[in-house]
Amino acid sequence: MQEKKKYYKSDKSTVSFEARKCIHAAECANGLPEVFNPNERPWVNTEGAEVERIKEVIERCPSGALKYELKDDAGNERPKTNAEITVVPNGPLYFSGNMEIVDSEGNVVGEEYRAALCRCGHSQNKPFCDNSHIKENFNAE
Amino acid sequence: MQSNEEKKIVISVSPGAFLSVDGNVTLKKENGEVIKEADKLFLCRCGASVNKPFCDGSHSKVEFDKD
C-alpha cells in the first residue's frame, strides 16, 4: 500500500506523520502540547518549540508514526545501538532499533527505527498495530 | 552509518504464523525487566500462544491465516 504521510515544515526541520501507524500512545500530545495539539489544524506546529525538544518527543513515539528530518543531517535520529522489543501488556510489541520489516510476501514494508507490531492477530494493518487489541479485549501479560 | 547497517535486525512476517526476528535483540517487559537476549526469536502474532510472547505453534489450531 502507498504510504500516506503528512508533512509539517519549518526552516530547520520537517516533521512527518503517518496516521495509519498512530496508535495514540500520546507521547507527543502529552510531552509537547505546544507543538502537537490534536484539537488544532494543522495539529503539528513545528514553530511551537525548539527543534531539540521536538526531536526528543518524536523519538519517544513508539509506533514510528511521527518522524523528523533536519536540514542539518548530523542531528537526525539515530537508531538505538542495541535493538529492543518491549512486550506491552494487552497490546502490541514495541520495536526499537535499526530494523527492516518484511511482510508475508517477502516485501520490505519498512526500514524503521521505531515500530509497534500486532500480536493480538486482529490488526487490519498487519504487521503494524492498529489498536484492534482494544475492541478484541486482547488479554496477555 | 556502516556500523548501524551491520547491526540491522530483520523482522519477517511468516504467513499464517509468527514474527521471526533475526539479529541481536533484548526482549523486555514494559517495566524494563529482561525476558531474553537473543539472536533469533519467534514471536506470537496470532494472539493464541499459551507461551506469549513466544510462538508455540497455536496459530495452526486457530486457523490464523491473515497477512
Side-chain angles (χ1 to χ4, degrees), chain B residues 1-37:
Chain B
M1 197 65 190
Q2 194 57 38
S3 62
N4 277 312
E5 284 297 318
E6 285 164 12
K7 284 178 183 166
K8 187 176 277 191
I9 63 167
V10 179
I11 302 150
S12 309
V13 178
S14 179
F18 42 77
L19 282 176
S20 157
V21 183
D22 288 274
N24 191 254
V25 291
T26 303
L27 181 67
K28 301 189 312 179
K29 292 186 180 178
E30 201 176 41
N31 66 11
E33 187 185 322
V34 174
I35 302 169
K36 193 172 185 176
E37 306 224 17

Side-chain angles (χ1 to χ4, degrees), chain A residues 77-97:
Chain A
E77 181 172 1
R78 304 301 310 143
K80 267 200 189 129
T81 325
N82 300 305
E84 289 182 353
I85 306 168
T86 303
V87 182
V88 180
N90 309 326
L93 296 165
Y94 286 165
F95 288 76
S96 170

